[in-house]
Amino acid sequence: MIEAFGERAAVVAGVGGWVPPDVVTNDDLAAYLDTSDEWIRTRTGIRTRHRVSPGMATSDLAVEAGRRALDSSGDPRVDAVVLATTTPDQLCPATAPVVAARLGLAGVAAFDVSAVCTGFLYGLATAAGLIAAGTAERVLLIGADAFTTIVNPEDRSTAVIFADGAGAVVLRAGHRDEPGALGRVVLGTDGTLSHLIRVPAGGSRQRSLNRSHEPGEEFFQMDGRDTFRHAVERMTAASQQAVASAGWSLADVDRLAAHQANARILTAVGERLGIAADRQLSNIADVGNTGAASIPLLLAQSHADGTLAAGHRMLLTAFGGGLAWGATTLTWPKLPGS
Ligand code: COA
């Protein structure tokens, strides 16, 4: 492999997460949908999820998580804000500049990354690239999604899974041998399967046809069964590549932080990788699938409750619409104030 950027690496320097206060239980959903608490728990592992209140948008979630990550890093300044999201406040402009301004960072580079549930991994690669190239010394990377604003409340296969939240990390320029340094970020996509997860209406295709959308096309749609199979295969393969790239074996991994898509997917990936439940971080029971927020929210909560500690060798992996997937490794650092 060509070492294009020498020893310089992106190093995790802060973490934060936030979920909106409104909690939706399985029984709340079963009150109007043809589903049950038992079905949702056994098929997805989800017990509760959080939902934005009326008027609240993705930027509101992102600002809360971003502020917590900046506080945790002990330094409120960054040169760039990268926001991974599938639910921007509006189609144009990007949401990141608004988030940056509300964090007192007007003037810095700010843009959105669109890679659905793999957005945080794509964001890590983007932020690491900005740092490696010398474009930025410090980057705030936020994953935030208000999925309940695009899910069809009548669609029981998605309404029970997808939820709202935000997580963020601060990355700073450092040395690739120090704790917190990101390993190679393995990324991939398969656009021949883009129809498995999508929102058909609202983009240029439907608009250039100059017709209003068919009922339901403005909502998020997913083929759950096919998605399940691809998620397991792709997260497993990407994880194996990332671990090999780090020079580790899977037995070296202390904590797996996988995209919290579905507890059965997490179990299947863990089995294939030989990483038992006690080495897996998980919050899906309490927060559901929060899209691009999933991994950074999991990191923030696990860091706060001590299940993730300085020195843990970590494997991160995600999968989602695109189809897109990714994985990377790092050793969790000691963060300022912890
Ligand atoms: N409550 C009750 N029944 C439900 C239901 C719900 N919330 N959602 C679907 N069903 C029904 C289906 O209609 C189907 O009924 P049928 O057999 O009469 O047609 C039955 O349950 C089985 O459907 P199936 O899709 O095979 O179920 P499943 O075990 O695959 O579980 C998902 C459905 C959506 C939970 C599962 O496919 C899944 O988690 N997929 C991956 C989703 C995911 O993680 N996406 C994000 C990737 S980033």
Side-chain angles (χ1 to χ4, degrees), residues 22-159:
D22 189 7
V23 175
V24 180
T25 67
N26 292 343
D27 286 335
D28 292 335
L29 294 169
Y32 77 94
L33 268 180
D34 183 13
T35 189
S36 66
D37 173 53
E38 206 262 333
W39 194 97
I40 301 170
R41 271 190 293 105
T42 54
R43 297 296 183 102
T44 72
I46 300 167
R47 289 190 315 239
T48 60
R49 74 284 290 141
H50 293 253
R51 177 175 60 193
V52 291
S53 50
M56 195 183 277
T58 293
S59 61
D60 301 313
L61 308 175
V63 165
E64 293 293 341
R67 184 174 293 125
R68 284 163 174 75
L70 291 169
D71 287 349
S72 134
S73 80
D75 183 346
R77 292 163 305 167
V78 293
D79 313 303
V81 175
V82 180
L83 173 66
T85 187
T86 305
T87 57
D89 287 10
Q90 46 203 8
L91 273 181
C92 170
T95 303
V98 172
V99 172
R102 287 178 55 192
L103 289 169
L105 295 165
V108 306
F111 57 96
D112 293 358
V113 166
S114 173
V116 200
C117 295
T118 315
F120 185 70
L121 266 295
Y122 273 79
L124 281 179
T126 305
L130 291 172
I131 288 171
T135 306
E137 292 296 311
R138 286 170 58 85
V139 179
L140 173 62
L141 168 62
I142 308 171
D145 267 315
F147 256 104
T148 64
T149 64
I150 60 168
V151 159
N152 181 350
E154 307 296 331
D155 178 358
R156 63 181 182 170
S157 70
T158 53

Side-chain angles (χ1 to χ4, degrees), residues 213-234:
H213 54 257
E214 301 296 326
E217 285 190 337
E218 75 277 29
F219 288 121
F220 180 83
Q221 300 175 359
M222 177 183 71
D223 180 331
R225 211 174 287 189
D226 262 6
T227 298
F228 193 111
R229 184 167 57 81
H230 290 292
V232 174
E233 286 171 10
R234 294 302 189 179

Side-chain angles (χ1 to χ4, degrees), residues 110-268:
F111 57 96
D112 293 358
V113 166
S114 173
V116 200
C117 295
T118 315
F120 185 70
L121 266 295
Y122 273 79
L124 281 179
T126 305
L130 291 172
I131 288 171
T135 306
E137 292 296 311
R138 286 170 58 85
V139 179
L140 173 62
L141 168 62
I142 308 171
D145 267 315
F147 256 104
T148 64
T149 64
I150 60 168
V151 159
N152 181 350
E154 307 296 331
D155 178 358
R156 63 181 182 170
S157 70
T158 53
V160 304
I161 295 175
F162 291 92
D164 306 337
V169 293
V170 173
L171 296 158
R172 63 164 172 83
H175 192 277
R176 67 177 187 178
D177 290 333
E178 67 177 297
L182 289 184
R184 174 181 162 224
V185 186
V186 174
L187 297 174
T189 69
D190 184 355
T192 66
L193 297 170
S194 64
H195 56 279
L196 293 182
I197 296 175
R198 63 183 183 145
V199 179
S204 59
R205 178 81 67 204
Q206 178 248 330
R207 283 167 182 237
S208 79
L209 290 169
N210 202 22
R211 63 162 176 81
S212 54
H213 54 257
E214 301 296 326
E217 285 190 337
E218 75 277 29
F219 288 121
F220 180 83
Q221 300 175 359
M222 177 183 71
D223 180 331
R225 211 174 287 189
D226 262 6
T227 298
F228 193 111
R229 184 167 57 81
H230 290 292
V232 174
E233 286 171 10
R234 294 302 189 179
M235 283 199 280
T236 301
S239 294
Q240 288 164 336
Q241 287 174 43
V243 164
S245 196
W248 298 354
S249 79
L250 285 159
D252 294 328
V253 174
D254 298 309
R255 294 290 182 269
L256 169 64
H259 168 52
Q260 303 287 290
N262 175 317
R264 286 159 56 219
I265 291 177
L266 298 173
T267 301

